[in-house]
Each structure stands twice: as C-alpha cells, then as structure tokens.
Amino acid sequence: MIKKTRAEITKCILHKVANKFNSGQNVFSEDLIRFDQESYDLMKNFLLKPFGSLTQSYRFTHHADVRLNELNNYASEVFKEEATFVEYSKNIVNHLFEQSNSAQIKTGDVIVVFIEGIEYKDVLTEAVGIFKIENKVDFFQTYLDDNESFDVVVQKGISTKRIDKGCLILNTSDVEGTVVFSVDNNNYDAQYWIKNFLSVKLADDYNSHTQSYLEMCKEFSEEVIKPELGMQQQGNFLANTVDYFKEHEAVDYHDFKDEVFEDEKHKEQFDEYKKHFENLNDVLIRNNFDVSGVVLKKEKSKLKTEIKLDTNINIKLDVDAPEAASEYLERGYDEEKKMKYYKVYFNEEK
C-alpha cells in the first residue's frame, strides 16, 4: 500500500492514443501541462486517489529477459534522466497503441506523470504514472450570448469521479523486480491492460495468495457446486470458506478441504478444479500461506450468496454466518403444487 500525503506531480503531459485496428493515428503533445493551483489539486487527487487503498502489487515480466519489458525499460530511463520524460511518454503511448488489436479497444486521452514523494513501505520514492481516459461525460457549459443573456451548451469532458485505467511504476524494487500498482475500472478485455500493455504478474506475497485462493473458491462454487448441488449449497460453501479464512491466520490446503468438505468426492473435485484454475489463469495456488485480512474483506464483498427463484423471490444468505443456511433453511418439494420450496425459520422480522 502506498501513501500520497507528500506526493507531488512534477511533470505531466497529455497525448491521444488511437486504435491500430481502425487505422487511427496517435496525437502527441510537445509541452508539459502547466497547472494553476486549483486544477493541480484536482488532478492530483483524481489520479492518485484510486491507489491509496490498493494492497496487491505487480512485477514486470518478459518471456526472455524482464529488462526487455517495454514499460520497465521506459520507466528506468526516466528515473535515470528526467529530461527524457517527454520522449519516453510518447514511447509509452506508441506501445499502448500497439496493443489495440481489436475494434473493442477504446481510443482516449493518455496522461503520463512524474511523481516525487510517493511513500511505499515507509520509504519515499519517485513514480511514473500512466493513465488512460476512455470515457467522457456530458456536462452543461453556461455562457453569455450576443444578446447579453445566459445560455447553455452541451460539452464532453473528463469526469473526476474515477479513473478508467491507470498504473504507478515505482522507482523501487525487491527480489521480484520493480513494484507496479494498477487499476482498471473498464475491464472489457482482461488481457489488454495488465497482460499486453503492462505485462505484469501479481507479486508473490500473501495478498496475491489470498486473492487467488478466494477467486478459485468463487469459481469452483459457480462451476461445480451450483450446477450439482444448487444455490443453497453454493452459499454454504462460500460462507464456510470465508469462515475458515476468518478463523485461521494461515491457510493449509489439506486442512481447508477437511473443514469445508464432508464428502471425499468433493475433495477430489476441488483438487481437479485447482489444477484447472492454475492452468487457465497461469497462476500457482499455494498450499500454505498467511491470510491477508485486507484482501479477505475486499474479496468477501464480491461473493454472491443470493438464491434467485423463478417466482421473483430472492433469498440472500449472509456470507459471514455459515451455520445459518444449514440450520434455518430447508429445501423440499410440494407434491400438491408440483413445485420446489424453501422453508425459512426465524424468531422476528428485522
């Protein structure tokens, strides 16, 4: 996690990136943006706010040599000599352009910044930030017309509510390489930003281990448990998974299976799905790792434990109460109505 209290944007430039698939052309600026204080404060908060709560970081990869990773190389050159910032900001946009290999890749504005005073693990460092603005919003601009009356016109502009895509490349590294943070709020192509443009992988730490394991459990519940056992058992499994992570400081794969599954068949299915998930996502699910409480809290909110019925009635299960669904919810079949049913026990309505 980074801190931006003392961060300062010392260089900022804006370019336009096109789509290679549609035979577009990039448009480049030659000069840095000169801010007044109001626009600077707004821009700084807009660009850096998404990174304040991130726990997972990435490291650059390359099939031959990580030093050949384009962004790793460009950022390294800028850190060596700030005077090359404008030149390499154009190289960054050209590299982004080369990844637009389909019509769905959006054109947009690309903001490249140089930041000083980013704090990471109690150390101040520099960062190169790359941000792509893909969506513009409509807003009313008021003006005084020739008749000395006020009128309005609709214009398009950048919303300051959230960034579409962005990354921070820090001038610091560990045994795995250069530290990179990334956000993608328009994840229409999972390969485009993370894999093709940045070419990064999650850091090999307890944050990524926790996230990958929970993602695997979520997919297993959707692809195996739900079709075979139904939504109630899917909800039970997810609630038991969360309960295990809450009750243990570290995950042991074999202990997890023993606590969550009663049937040996499901343990074997989970083993097979683990191999499938690892191959599909090119990730290693570790058998032993420490639990990240921050990631657990974040990922828990993504787990869907709602039973949706075709009678327009939904039953929402509490993922933090694994015993509730099995103790207070019964599933059956009504011979007279020829319909399935759920029976819910409770003391009082809330």
Side-chain angles (χ1 to χ4, degrees), residues 281-296:
N281 296 280
D282 192 23
V283 64
L284 174 65
I285 303 296
R286 297 196 176 274
N287 290 337
N288 298 277
F289 59 89
D290 293 332
V291 172
S292 168
V294 175
V295 174
L296 174 61

Side-chain angles (χ1 to χ4, degrees), residues 53-69:
S53 59
L54 292 184
T55 54
Q56 289 109 322
S57 61
Y58 295 85
R59 302 295 182 272
F60 287 120
T61 63
H62 192 274
H63 67 276
D65 187 333
V66 71
R67 290 173 296 182
L68 299 177
N69 179 293

Side-chain angles (χ1 to χ4, degrees), residues 155-312:
Q155 295 182 335
K156 285 187 176 292
I158 300 172
S159 171
T160 58
K161 290 185 178 180
R162 72 172 191 174
I163 198 79
D164 290 322
K165 287 175 167 59
C167 73
L168 290 180
I169 304 169
L170 304 190
N171 188 18
T172 188
S173 60
D174 53 23
V175 294
E176 293 186 76
T178 302
V179 178
V180 181
F181 289 90
S182 177
V183 293
D184 186 354
N185 289 313
N186 288 343
N187 193 15
Y188 50 80
D189 187 331
Q191 306 296 313
Y192 167 59
W193 184 255
I194 289 292
K195 186 173 182 179
N196 296 342
F197 174 57
L198 296 178
S199 189
V200 292
K201 63 179 180 179
L202 281 169
D204 187 18
D205 59 19
Y206 74 117
N207 289 312
S208 62
H209 301 158
T210 302
Q211 178 179 339
S212 296
Y213 201 98
L214 289 173
E215 286 179 349
M216 178 183 69
C217 290
K218 176 185 175 183
E219 295 301 317
F220 178 77
S221 76
E222 188 68 30
E223 297 182 18
V224 179
I225 294 182
K226 179 180 174 181
E228 181 179 332
L229 301 175
M231 290 184 179
Q232 182 181 0
Q233 292 304 316
Q234 179 189 21
N236 286 345
F237 168 73
L238 292 175
N240 287 328
T241 296
V242 170
D243 191 57
Y244 181 92
F245 273 71
K246 287 166 57 179
E247 295 298 324
H248 295 77
E249 293 183 355
V251 169
D252 178 275
Y253 178 72
H254 300 289
D255 179 61
F256 172 84
K257 289 192 299 180
D258 289 338
E259 287 204 21
V260 172
F261 300 110
E262 296 181 1
D263 196 326
E264 288 297 324
K265 171 189 173 183
H266 295 140
K267 293 181 183 180
E268 293 174 3
Q269 287 178 320
F270 194 66
D271 288 336
E272 290 300 317
Y273 192 83
K274 179 175 179 287
K275 297 176 184 177
H276 166 73
F277 185 88
E278 288 175 328
N279 291 331
L280 182 65
N281 296 280
D282 192 23
V283 64
L284 174 65
I285 303 296
R286 297 196 176 274
N287 290 337
N288 298 277
F289 59 89
D290 293 332
V291 172
S292 168
V294 175
V295 174
L296 174 61
K297 182 178 179 181
K298 178 182 176 182
E299 293 299 310
K300 185 177 67 174
S301 64
K302 301 178 183 179
L303 301 179
K304 304 300 181 183
T305 56
E306 190 174 30
I307 302 174
K308 296 184 178 182
L309 308 177
D310 58 4
T311 51
N312 297 320

Side-chain angles (χ1 to χ4, degrees), residues 31-42:
D31 298 321
L32 301 176
I33 295 176
R34 292 185 290 272
F35 294 103
D36 57 32
Q37 191 61 47
E38 183 179 8
S39 59
Y40 171 82
D41 291 340
L42 189 61

Side-chain angles (χ1 to χ4, degrees), residues 94-106:
N94 283 329
H95 175 58
L96 181 61
F97 174 78
E98 289 301 320
Q99 313 315 314
S100 57
N101 295 316
S102 71
Q104 70 175 346
I105 302 300
K106 298 179 181 179

Side-chain angles (χ1 to χ4, degrees), residues 317-333:
L317 307 178
D318 189 347
V319 75
D320 286 314
E323 74 288 341
S326 56
E327 188 173 351
Y328 304 120
L329 190 65
E330 291 183 8
R331 192 173 189 267
Y333 184 80

